[in-house]
């Protein structure tokens, strides 16, 4: 399967990605590589097969954020997520189906319905449904939340996820592989740095002046640091 080069870009070590995604490193490794438990071997969720790499690509970061939201907010069983991702990956012939626009626009939306056939016991996972009166395909709130926070570059089904606005597109906080190597930032300044300074007692106004930001920028950064954003990403 050929993947868009931007989504293949290696971005975070597992330990860093776990902090950004607000999941334990052991959980993230399991999603990436699968493994053996109680004598049974389980395949990965985020990868078609284990690679042995402890570095997440940008495509894996985007999809992990989406899946982390489902796991935390809706307690969807991991094996159902694995089936869902495998079907999308196979049918679309791309390694990062949820990080492309293919399943979200045009005919590809039908595939989301088909992929949900195996997970009818988990209604919260179904991204779209048929509106009973008109028969039209409509997004559920959980999918709307995802699309409201991920910005795609390009047009049509070939567009790919370029950045995440974890608190929404009106917030200046961004996770972008082209800005500070993907570290969550506002105005080019790491949100974690601003939090450290604020925790040490520096006033918001002083931080804004020191880093050339607005007061609202700093407040947004501190709000992000206090928020479990993957939960927000898909919570209805």
């Amino acid at each position: 399967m050929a993947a868009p080069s931007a989504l293949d870009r290696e971005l975070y070590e597992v330990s860093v990605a776990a902090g950004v995604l607000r999941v334990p490193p052991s959980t993230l490794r399991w999603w990436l590589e699968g493994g053996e438990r109680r004598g049974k071997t389980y395949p990965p969720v985020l990868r078609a097969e284990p690679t042995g790499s402890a570095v997440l690509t940008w495509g894996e970061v985007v999809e992990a954020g989406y899946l982390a939201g489902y796991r935390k907010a809706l307690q969807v069983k991991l094996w159902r997520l694995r089936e869902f991702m495998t079907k999308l990956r196979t049918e679309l012939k791309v390694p990062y189906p949820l990080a492309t626009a293919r399943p979200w626009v045009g005919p590809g939306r039908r595939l989301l319905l088909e992929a949900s056939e195996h997970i009818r016991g988990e209604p919260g996972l179904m991204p779209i449904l048929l509106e009973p009166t008109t028969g039209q395909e409509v997004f559920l709130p959980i999918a709307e939340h995802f699309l409201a926070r991920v910005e795609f570059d390009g047009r049509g089904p070939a567009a790919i996820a370029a950045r995440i606005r974890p608190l929404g597109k009106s917030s200046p906080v961004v996770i972008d592989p082209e800005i500070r190597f993907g570290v969550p930032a506002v105005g080019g300044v790491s949100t974690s740095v601003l939090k450290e300074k604020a925790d040490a007692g520096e006033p918001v106004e002083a931080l804004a002046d020191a880093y050339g930001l607005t007061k609202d920028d700093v407040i947004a950064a501190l709000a992000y640091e206090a928020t479990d954003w993957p939960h927000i990403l898909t919570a209805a």
Side-chain angles (χ1 to χ4, degrees):
M1 293 185 293
S5 59
L7 296 180
D8 268 334
R9 178 177 176 177
E10 293 187 334
L11 194 63
Y12 300 138
E13 293 275 352
V14 167
S15 58
V16 176
V20 172
L21 295 167
R22 313 288 210 266
V23 298
S26 59
T27 296
L28 190 53
R29 290 190 189 95
W30 185 261
W31 293 357
L32 289 170
E33 291 289 288
E36 186 173 320
R37 287 181 179 172
R38 299 175 182 173
K40 185 175 180 180
T41 300
Y42 295 88
V45 178
L46 291 173
R47 292 172 175 167
E49 58 186 26
T51 67
S53 175
V55 180
L56 279 77
T57 64
W58 172 236
E60 289 167 347
V61 170
V62 174
E63 294 196 326
Y66 186 59
L67 298 185
Y70 274 117
R71 289 286 287 163
K72 289 188 175 185
L74 302 172
Q75 301 297 307
V76 176
K77 296 179 178 64
L78 194 62
W79 68 269
R80 291 190 182 278
L81 287 173
R82 187 182 293 115
E83 284 190 352
F84 179 72
M85 293 299 297
T86 297
K87 182 171 180 61
L88 287 178
R89 195 181 295 122
T90 300
E91 294 292 330
L92 294 174
K93 296 181 173 58
V94 292
Y96 316 112
L98 296 178
T100 74
R102 285 177 176 85
W104 303 109
V105 300
R109 289 167 58 152
R110 173 64 58 168
L111 181 59
L112 289 179
L113 280 172
E114 294 175 1
S116 298
E117 289 295 324
H118 298 290
I119 52 170
R120 288 193 178 277
E122 304 284 353
L125 182 59
M126 196 175 295
I128 61 176
L129 50 71
L130 292 177
E131 203 283 326
T133 303
T134 64
Q136 293 183 331
E137 297 164 354
V138 294
F139 286 115
L140 292 181
I142 49 177
E144 292 284 5
H145 277 65
F146 174 72
L147 294 176
R149 286 164 171 77
V150 177
E151 295 181 351
F152 292 85
D153 276 0
R155 293 186 177 183
I160 62 174
R163 63 199 62 84
I164 297 170
R165 298 279 182 180
L167 299 186
K169 293 179 182 177
S170 62
S171 170
V173 179
V174 65
I175 300 173
D176 187 328
E178 300 297 329
I179 298 175
R180 298 190 61 83
F181 304 100
V183 172
V186 57
V189 180
S190 166
T191 58
S192 64
V193 168
L194 294 171
K195 179 182 184 300
E196 289 175 7
K197 299 288 187 180
D199 287 348
E202 291 199 35
V204 168
E205 293 82 358
L207 288 172
D209 289 341
Y211 289 97
L213 303 172
T214 68
K215 180 180 176 181
D216 287 343
D217 288 338
V218 177
I219 291 172
L222 299 180
Y224 163 76
E225 286 291 326
T227 301
D228 186 353
W229 75 264
H231 180 103
I232 285 180
L233 188 64
T234 52

